[in-house]
Every structure is written in C-alpha cells, then in structure tokens.
Amino acid sequence: SAVISQKPSRDICQRGTSLTIQCQVDSQVTMMFWYRQQPGQSLTLIATANQGSEATYESGFVIDKFPISRPNLTFSTLTVSNMSPEDSSIYLCSSLHTVSGREQFFGPGTRLTVL
Amino acid sequence: GQNIDQPTEMTATEGAIVQINCTYQTSGFNGLFWYQQHAGEAPTFLSYNVLDGLEEKGRFSSFLSRSKGYSYLLLKELQMKDSASYLCAVYGSGNTGKLIFGQGTTLQVKP
C-alpha cells in the first residue's frame, strides 16, 4: 500500500485568510485527487490534480477558491482561499495506484476549522 | 444522475456476521470500492470489485453484481474494532479515476 502524508494535520484559521495543505506520496503516481469531508458526511471530490497542467475541478468547486498545484508525480498542494466558516471540513489527499489491480489510498486528512 | 445508496446505520453482535449493502446508479461503471473509516481517521482501502462475483480477503468479503447495480460487504467473526463507517464508492465512466462515494454505513458492534 502507499503511504500518503499531509501537512498540516489540523489548523484553526480566521475568516478571510488562506491555508495551503501539502500532500506527499511515497511513490510516483499518475493520478492524485483532493476530497472534502464535512462533519458527519461522506467524501466529495474537489478536483483531480494533474501533473504539469491545471487541475480538473468538479461541479461546485472553482480554481479561484481552491487553487491546486502538482509540480511532480509525488506531491500536490491544495489552497483554501478567502476562508469562511463553511469551509470548515476535513480535506483529504488521495492517490490512485494501478501497478497491481486498482487501489486508491487516502492521506490522513487535514482538519480545518474556520472561525 | 449519480446515486449510491447504503443503509445509514447497522448494529451487530461481536462474533456474528453482518452484510452491508450498496446499490448504485451511475453514468458508466468501472469498478466499486469499499473503505473502512474510523472516527477521526482517513478511509482505509478494503476491496475493489470490477467483475461480478465474490472477492474474499480474510474476514472481509465483497460481492458485485453489475447487472443489478448492487454490491455488499460481508464481515465475519465481528470484533469490537470493526465498529466504524463503511463507505461504498464507484468509479463512473471514463478512466478519470474519480470516485463517487455513498453516504457511508455506521456499524456498531456490541459485546
């Protein structure tokens, strides 16, 4: 299985500020994703982080609010911009591995609270 | 549209067997995942089914019927540590790798 780390693990932020979350995978992967999990809810895909090109966003998520970088095959960042209390959530990085079958793993998540 | 249904909550007894069902309606299908998620932790990969039939991994088994849009996760010899949420997730059309998640089933194992 893959090992995925995220930084920070949690943060408390003020309204109107921005936070950048880092995700590191221990092996090169083609596909990386960012998900959000709001309290008591399941996971919702924010975007696919594409290496060397702009991220692909899902309906309801835009680049100005959630800019994403993916400079190489093992690393990605997600920024939550101009935060509001509605952005309080857990943000999870995920990677898809297809070497033996198909497995998709998740990082430990970043628990964000916006005051 | 895309729709994945799971029961919200289930309760079972330690040592017993429990089956968690998942039905899906998606535009295209390229496989189904089951994840386990303990409170405050990230989802942990349990299984992936792309062909019809049963996949067994120790105490956990997962079944898929593509014609019926149906899957289940079977947990045997339940242990207290199996108390968690179980998430069903589907790959839709294309090879995008995007997962569509159900709302999850919270399983409580009682002694």
Side-chain angles (χ1 to χ4, degrees):
Chain A
S1 64
V3 176
I4 304 175
S5 59
Q6 286 185 233
K7 289 194 296 187
S9 58
R10 59 178 62 230
D11 207 342
I12 300 173
C13 301
Q14 295 297 321
R15 181 194 297 263
T17 62
S18 298
L19 175 73
T20 295
I21 303 167
Q22 298 180 7
C23 174
Q24 180 76 53
V25 187
D26 69 344
S27 58
Q28 292 187 341
V29 291
T30 304
M31 305 190 83
M32 291 180 71
F33 308 90
W34 287 98
Y35 285 81
R36 182 171 74 182
Q37 187 172 29
Q38 295 184 303
Q41 302 293 313
S42 191
L43 283 76
T44 301
L45 179 64
I46 297 172
T48 302
N50 300 309
Q51 196 267 327
S53 64
E54 195 171 279
T56 305
Y57 290 85
E58 296 302 301
S59 175
F61 298 97
V62 296
I63 188 171
D64 290 345
K65 176 67 176 178
F66 297 102
I68 288 170
S69 79
R70 180 138 183 233
N72 56 52
L73 292 176
T74 64
F75 185 79
S76 178
T77 67
L78 168 75
T79 298
V80 186
S81 303
N82 188 26
M83 288 184 283
S84 67
E86 292 71 35
D87 295 321
S88 297
S89 188
I90 298 173
Y91 292 86
L92 297 118
C93 172
S94 177
S95 63
L96 173 63
H97 302 253
T98 56
V99 173
S100 55
R102 184 177 283 234
E103 296 175 305
Q104 188 153 343
F105 301 103
F106 287 83
T110 296
R111 185 179 295 271
L112 171 63
T113 302
V114 184
L115 302 177
Chain B
Q2 320 262 51
N3 196 41
I4 300 176
D5 285 319
Q6 304 177 233
T8 305
E9 295 179 342
M10 298 183 72
T11 303
T13 305
E14 190 176 15
I17 299 173
V18 70
Q19 177 175 313
I20 302 174
N21 296 324
C22 171
T23 58
Y24 62 89
Q25 292 175 305
T26 57
S27 53
F29 177 82
N30 282 297
L32 185 145
F33 283 85
W34 283 97
Y35 287 88
Q36 179 190 61
Q37 187 176 27
H38 286 99
E41 298 182 11
T44 303
F45 169 81
L46 290 178
S47 66
Y48 172 66
N49 294 68
V50 65
L51 299 176
D52 290 350
L54 188 68
E55 297 272 347
E56 297 186 73
K57 280 188 181 180
R59 293 190 300 114
F60 293 3
S61 303
S62 57
F63 171 84
L64 176 67
S65 169
R66 289 172 295 172
S67 62
K68 295 181 180 178
Y70 168 69
S71 173
Y72 67 72
L73 180 70
L74 193 70
L75 291 75
K76 303 176 185 176
E77 302 169 15
L78 280 172
Q79 303 174 9
M80 298 300 291
K81 67 178 182 180
D82 296 329
S83 294
S85 287
Y86 291 86
L87 306 173
C88 173
V90 172
Y91 276 139
S93 58
N95 192 31
T96 62
K98 298 191 301 185
L99 280 174
I100 305 162
F101 279 85
Q103 288 302 303
T105 299
T106 300
L107 173 66
Q108 185 179 16
V109 180
K110 294 185 174 180

